[in-house]
Amino acid sequence: MSPRLDYHATTPAGMKALAGAHGYVSQCGLPVTLIDLVYLRVSQINGCAYCIDLHSRDLLKNGITIDKLVLVPVWHEAETLFTDRERAALRWAETVTRVAETAVPDSEFQAVSAQFSEKEVADLTIAIGLMNLYNRLAISFRTVPAAAR
């Protein structure tokens, strides 16, 4: 796979704006590992090799076990490895990422709201939307994962 275009160089102002949103998410108060789990799950759903590689590495650096990392795609079958908040965040990430299919039903909103405050739900949703955007950039322009360089 060869990169199609260097979007960082082509649109520095646009990438700076995204970096601002990324900076907000990283300091919003949600645990870093939770955010990275969500980023990883969104990237898995979208099939973004670059982001899967990046966020897997971040999770490993932050102490997630290999057992937990490899079971993120099937978190609902490995419930004992994931906290209630992690399961709620992963479920929300899946339904929001698949918005065209799910329409994000009230039951999903109620489930995430049982684990997170209103601000946390909003911040989590910003993180999910941001990762969906980053996935679309990396996939569209064929960003090469670190493992493949």
Side-chain angles (χ1 to χ4, degrees):
M1 177 171 75
S2 300
R4 290 179 169 165
L5 108 98
D6 181 353
Y7 53 93
H8 291 275
T10 305
T11 180
M15 294 312 297
K16 184 177 180 181
L18 288 179
H22 189 264
Y24 171 77
V25 169
S26 67
Q27 63 78 43
C28 72
L30 291 170
V32 173
T33 301
L34 179 78
I35 293 169
D36 280 332
L37 280 171
V38 166
Y39 285 168
L40 176 59
R41 186 66 192 120
V42 169
S43 299
Q44 290 169 336
I45 292 166
N46 290 325
C48 183
Y50 175 80
C51 295
I52 291 168
D53 180 64
L54 176 69
H55 298 295
S56 294
R57 291 172 189 275
D58 288 345
L59 284 161
L60 289 168
K61 285 179 200 169
N62 287 322
I64 193 173
T65 65
I66 294 290
D67 293 339
K68 189 170 183 174
L69 180 67
V70 299
L71 292 175
V72 169
V74 291
W75 61 268
H76 46 84
E77 294 180 31
E79 290 184 4
T80 58
L81 286 176
F82 297 90
T83 67
D84 290 343
R85 284 173 56 94
E86 288 171 339
R87 287 194 308 274
L90 290 166
R91 184 174 172 175
W92 186 244
E94 290 179 356
T95 197
V96 170
T97 296
R98 294 180 173 128
V99 64
E101 300 164 23
T102 68
V104 190
D106 289 341
S107 60
E108 297 293 343
F109 178 74
Q110 291 163 353
V112 75
S113 295
Q115 292 295 322
F116 295 95
S117 71
E118 286 184 353
K119 180 187 181 305
E120 288 172 325
V121 173
D123 288 341
L124 190 57
T125 308
I126 290 169
I128 294 163
L130 180 63
M131 187 48 47
N132 273 285
L133 176 55
Y134 276 127
N135 289 167
R136 278 146 181 79
L137 288 167
I139 293 166
S140 296
F141 300 126
R142 306 290 190 256
T143 306
V144 179
R149 283 187 219 136

